[in-house]
């Protein structure tokens, strides 16, 4: 009887253990690309309580099926780990939903200044009620490099659209903009206004601002608008941006230059259960040091965490405001001989900011585009490591468009993670070849090949709203390096599809100290997945940009599912474009926060 009791007890224990291992969901029926080198592919994946329970063959995983298990049929589509945003601006991405689309094809239709003017007129005609409440017109995404005139619009050309309403348009880089006369008047900008440090107001022959503003001159007009959005407006931005990221398969996003108020907006949206993805925020260290010290953590509070510090050294390479180590090749505009761009901050400010982050044990991610800006950052990091040692804070160089090979060597020595922008090869590759760095140096923009030759990891990013957060466009550009014109820019810098997928998943997870829980499909990790229309490792690399995100899954739950037959998302897929009432309330909240009557 004693033996029988033991057998019964063992059976009961085994039954209890088996009950605990029943999967909530089993995914199968299509290729599963795990990004795990130890187990690159699988037939099925089991998930329980938002975590991956098992990865393996169908026979192995089906043993975890129970009465309540949902069988998720991939229907021949490919499942991968959810994409991890190496660098973007989730909250600012929401601005695209609130503005006239001024982007060039394929993301818009604006190819010259008359089309830009018409796009603004069309937006005003389609949004009369919104305009009456908002009292302002915003256009986003124009690119002088893609306009037939190869220059920025001016105040006078925006005045043709309207002199009644203040109008401001944002360059696709996010580092420049143009205002009409009414907007300049309201901002107090006139001929007597001096250029701020790290910024330039373009001027007419008589010295009056012509409406074009660079860097800190532009931020002087833009940032008070953003800072004064008010809670409702900021939260609307945050929600819209996070939803857009999810449409492109991102399960973790980055707010790459935030303020404390923007982080709190993310937290408020999350507290309402309306934030679909995780977001890591990096407040500007020059403006929010106290907030960083109080909130920085590698652990999430809900779906939001403050990852550390953001620093910005220079500006936009395509806008000729990035700091080079040599003159621009053939800049388009009124530039003096030998023009190399400029830094937004001094070397002293750079060193002080880097030292502060090291002293306080924070990760620092730094925007540096030109070679001169990267020299400043690497010198500051080297000095900080001499003083404080390598504290394991994984410093990140963001963009690095014009890196030299010796700088990549120094990054490897200093353990600097490169978050690169290979989409530049598509959007601005021809422009870089013909105007910014010339045909020889253009081959080495976003030098992913150099990075991989040294065995280094890297992240591929979109920097949205600079570019649309199109994960498949990123994948295509990183693998093919094809420009808009069809040229292959720097064939030696191309990488394999698998390397490019790692730069969207496990490598940026490592960048953010989350490689133990995200980035691959492995037992014990968070059940963050993206389901694509086809297997990117099995298609012609030239067709990668045509792949579509069918489903995005966060913590084991579907957060986005493309309507059947719907094409790849664009700006008009925002819910605000399909719902004028929602757009009206969102814009009203935003401008009310700005104090606009």
């Amino acid at each position: 009887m004693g033996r029988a009791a033991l057998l019964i007890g063992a059976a009961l224990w085994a039954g209890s253990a088996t009950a605990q291992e029943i999967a909530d969901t089993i995914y199968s029926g299509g290729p599963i690309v795990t990004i795990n080198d130890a187990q690159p592919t699988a037939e099925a994946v089991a998930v329980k309580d938002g975590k991956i329970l098992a990865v393996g063959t169908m026979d192995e995983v089906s043993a975890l099926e129970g009465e309540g298990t949902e069988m998720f049929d991939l229907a021949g589509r490919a499942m991968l780990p959810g994409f991890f945003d190496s660098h973007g601006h989730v909250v600012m991405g929401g601005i695209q939903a609130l503005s006239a689309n001024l982007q060039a094809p394929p993301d818009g239709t604006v190819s010259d200044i008359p089309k830009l003017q018409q796009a603004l007129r069309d937006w005003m005609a389609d949004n009369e009620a919104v305009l009456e409440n908002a009292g302002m017109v915003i256009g986003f995404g124009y690119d002088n490099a893609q306009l037939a005139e190869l220059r920025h619009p001016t105040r006078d050309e925006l005045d043709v659209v309207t002199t009644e309403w203040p109008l401001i348009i944002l360059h696709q880089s996010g580092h420049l903009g143009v205002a009409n006369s009414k907007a300049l008047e309201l901002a107090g900008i006139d001929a007597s206004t001096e250029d701020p440090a790290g910024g330039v107001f373009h001027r007419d022959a008589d010295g009056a601002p012509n409406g074009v503003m660079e860097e800190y001159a532009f931020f002087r007009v833009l940032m008070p608008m953003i800072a004064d959005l008010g809670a409702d407006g900021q939260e609307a931005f945050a929600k819209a941006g996070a939803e857009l990221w999810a449409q492109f398969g991102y399960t973790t996003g980055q707010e790459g230059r935030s303020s404390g108020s923007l982080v709190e907006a993310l937290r408020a949206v999350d507290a309402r259960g309306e934030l679909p993805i995780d977001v890591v925020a990096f407040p500007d260290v020059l403006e929010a040091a106290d907030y960083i010290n109080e909130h920085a953590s590698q652990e999430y509070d809900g779906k939001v965490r403050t990852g550390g510090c953001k620093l910005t050294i220079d500006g936009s390479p395509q806008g000729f405001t990035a700091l080079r180590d040599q003159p621009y090749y053939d800049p388009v505009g009124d530039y003096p001989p030998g023009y190399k761009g400029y830094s937004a901050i001094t070397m002293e400010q750079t060193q002080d900011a880097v030292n502060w982050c090291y002293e306080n044990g924070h990760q620092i991610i730094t925007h540096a585009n030109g070679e001169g800006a990267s020299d400043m950052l690497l010198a500051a990091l080297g000095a900080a490591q001499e003083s404080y040692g390598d504290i394991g804070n994984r410093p990140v160089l963001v963009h690095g468009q014009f890196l030299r090979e010796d700088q990549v060597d120094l990054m490897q020595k200093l353990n600097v993670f490169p978050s690169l922008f290979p989409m530049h090869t598509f959007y601005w590759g021809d422009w870089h070849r013909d105007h910014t760095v010339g045909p020889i140096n253009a081959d080495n923009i976003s030098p992913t090949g150099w990075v991989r030759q040294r065995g280094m990891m890297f992240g591929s990013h979109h920097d949205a709203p600079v570019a649309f957060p199109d994960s498949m466009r990123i994948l295509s550009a990183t693998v093919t390096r094809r420009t808009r014109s069809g040229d292959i820019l720097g064939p030696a810098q191309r990488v394999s599809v698998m390397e490019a997928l790692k730069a969207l998943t496990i490598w940026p997870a490592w960048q953010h100290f989350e490689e133990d829980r995200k980035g691959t499909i492995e037992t014990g990790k968070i059940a963050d997945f993206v389901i694509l229309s086809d297997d990117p490792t099995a298609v012609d690399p030239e067709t990668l940009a045509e792949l579509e995100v069918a489903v995005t899954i966060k913590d084991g739950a579907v957060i986005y599912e493309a309507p059947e037959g719907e094409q790849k998302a664009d700006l008009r897929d925002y819910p605000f474009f399909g719902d004028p009432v929602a757009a009206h309330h969102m814009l009203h909240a935003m401008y009310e926060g700005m104090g606009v009557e």
Side-chain angles (χ1 to χ4, degrees):
M1 291 197 49
R3 178 176 175 78
L6 286 173
L7 289 173
I8 292 170
L12 289 172
W13 179 87
S16 174
T18 301
Q20 291 176 359
E21 296 300 314
I22 295 299
D24 295 331
T25 309
I26 292 177
Y27 301 84
S28 65
I32 297 173
V33 183
T34 68
I35 315 295
N36 174 15
D37 290 338
Q39 187 184 13
T41 62
E43 293 180 344
V45 173
V47 169
K48 183 177 178 62
D49 297 331
K51 297 289 183 66
I52 299 172
L53 185 61
V55 182
T57 66
M58 192 64 214
D59 286 343
E60 292 168 339
V61 175
S62 62
L64 302 173
E65 180 183 354
E67 185 176 332
T69 301
E70 175 191 358
M71 302 302 292
F72 193 111
D73 183 7
L74 296 173
R77 302 169 299 183
M79 188 167 85
L80 293 83
F83 297 134
F84 202 125
D85 186 5
S86 183
H87 181 68
H89 305 270
V90 167
V91 179
M92 288 302 298
I95 200 171
Q96 290 175 316
L98 305 173
S99 56
N101 179 10
L102 304 183
Q103 296 187 93
D107 300 322
T109 61
V110 173
S111 55
D112 56 33
I113 291 174
K115 285 188 175 68
L116 180 146
Q117 292 168 321
Q118 190 59 47
L120 290 166
R121 292 190 191 100
D122 290 345
W123 185 92
M124 293 173 65
D126 293 341
N127 295 274
E128 289 184 4
V130 174
L131 183 57
E132 287 290 339
N133 271 278
M136 183 177 291
V137 182
I138 297 179
F140 178 83
Y142 88 91
D143 182 5
N144 57 302
Q146 301 305 320
L147 297 177
E149 297 83 356
L150 293 180
R151 63 173 176 81
H152 299 279
T154 65
R155 172 197 66 202
D156 293 338
E157 288 164 326
L158 296 188
D159 285 349
V160 170
V161 176
T162 180
T163 55
E164 177 185 1
W165 304 103
L167 188 163
I168 185 167
I169 63 174
L170 283 67
H171 188 271
Q172 192 172 1
S173 69
H175 285 257
L176 306 96
V178 189
N180 71 349
S181 295
K182 188 70 170 180
L184 290 173
E185 176 189 339
L186 292 176
I189 307 299
D190 58 27
S192 66
T193 304
E194 296 182 0
D195 290 346
V200 174
F201 289 106
H202 290 210
R203 300 177 188 273
D204 295 331
D206 61 1
N210 74 354
V212 181
M213 306 166 286
E214 295 180 3
E215 302 298 336
Y216 275 88
F218 173 53
F219 300 150
R220 172 174 172 174
V221 177
L222 178 68
M223 294 314 290
M225 293 169 55
I226 302 303
D228 294 338
L229 284 176
D232 289 346
Q234 291 183 356
E235 290 166 26
F237 271 24
K239 184 174 183 290
E243 289 172 349
L244 180 63
W245 265 236
Q247 289 184 39
F248 287 100
Y250 286 97
T251 50
T252 303
Q254 187 190 91
E255 175 44 56
R257 189 184 184 184
S258 67
S259 62
S261 64
L262 291 187
V263 182
E264 292 306 312
L266 285 163
R267 294 188 186 282
V269 174
D270 183 39
R272 296 197 299 268
E274 296 178 351
L275 194 68
I277 65 173
D278 288 343
V279 179
V280 188
F282 290 86
D284 190 317
V285 65
L286 299 181
E287 299 175 2
D290 290 342
Y291 187 92
I292 295 168
N293 251 352
E294 183 177 353
H295 295 281
S297 173
Q298 291 181 17
E299 299 300 323
Y300 286 90
D301 179 6
K303 285 188 169 69
V304 181
R305 72 179 178 91
T306 300
C309 311
K310 173 65 182 293
L311 182 66
T312 301
I313 294 179
D314 68 344
S316 159
Q318 66 270 34
F320 306 112
T321 62
L323 177 63
R324 298 207 61 203
D325 63 350
Q326 58 189 287
Y328 278 91
Y329 180 72
D330 184 21
V332 178
D334 185 18
Y335 298 100
Y339 175 74
K340 300 180 182 180
Y342 53 90
S343 63
I345 58 175
T346 66
M347 186 62 211
E348 182 180 6
Q349 288 175 301
T350 302
Q351 189 68 67
D352 287 347
V354 170
N355 285 352
W356 185 87
C357 293
Y358 271 74
E359 287 171 2
N360 289 279
H362 299 312
Q363 185 177 32
I364 180 169
I365 68 171
T366 305
H367 170 122
N369 258 314
E371 307 96 325
S374 294
D375 279 335
M376 292 171 65
L377 171 63
L378 295 174
L381 290 172
Q385 290 188 16
E386 284 184 11
S387 298
Y388 307 102
D390 183 351
I391 63 172
N393 60 339
R394 300 182 186 178
V396 178
L397 187 153
V398 176
H399 305 322
Q401 284 301 324
F402 302 156
L403 286 168
R404 303 186 307 266
E405 196 164 7
D406 66 284
Q407 291 175 322
V408 179
D409 287 332
L410 186 53
M411 290 172 68
Q412 183 180 30
K413 178 182 177 182
L414 296 173
N415 295 318
V416 177
F417 183 93
S419 178
L420 300 177
F421 201 171
M423 281 215 308
H424 259 256
T425 58
F426 174 76
Y427 282 105
W428 297 288
D430 299 315
W431 184 254
H432 290 319
R433 181 194 61 224
D434 298 340
H435 296 290
T436 64
V437 294
I440 295 175
N441 288 331
D443 276 352
N444 297 319
I445 66 167
S446 301
T448 51
W450 286 347
V451 169
R452 291 305 296 146
Q453 287 168 16
R454 289 157 176 78
M456 298 166 63
M457 298 180 288
F458 69 93
S460 284
H461 65 250
H462 47 74
D463 200 25
V466 172
F468 213 49
D470 187 339
S471 52
M472 294 300 97
R473 175 68 65 189
I474 296 174
L475 183 65
S476 172
T478 308
V479 172
T480 70
R481 293 180 67 93
R482 270 202 194 278
T483 71
R484 291 179 193 258
S485 70
D487 188 15
I488 295 177
L489 200 66
Q493 298 289 1
R494 291 180 294 187
V495 300
S496 70
V497 173
M498 184 53 67
E499 288 171 309
L501 286 171
K502 288 181 176 179
L504 286 169
T505 53
I506 186 59
W507 291 344
W510 186 94
Q511 168 193 340
H512 290 84
F513 296 89
E514 296 191 43
E515 72 277 12
D516 61 334
R517 47 190 153 160
K518 297 178 182 175
T520 60
I521 299 178
E522 291 184 66
T523 300
K525 287 194 172 183
I526 296 171
D528 288 355
F529 308 129
V530 59
I531 299 174
L532 302 178
S533 55
D534 207 340
D535 180 355
T537 67
V539 302
D540 180 348
E542 294 292 343
T543 67
L544 288 170
E546 300 170 16
L547 296 179
E548 299 191 6
V549 172
V551 184
T552 306
I553 296 165
K554 179 79 186 81
D555 297 323
V558 173
I559 59 171
Y560 169 74
E561 186 168 8
E564 190 171 347
E566 183 170 296
Q567 297 299 307
K568 191 181 289 266
D570 65 22
L571 287 176
R572 287 155 291 188
D573 291 322
Y574 270 107
F576 308 102
F577 282 96
D579 185 348
V581 175
H584 171 90
H585 288 304
M586 187 170 177
L587 280 166
H588 180 73
M590 181 183 84
Y591 289 116
E592 186 178 62
M594 292 179 191
V596 177
E597 296 294 330

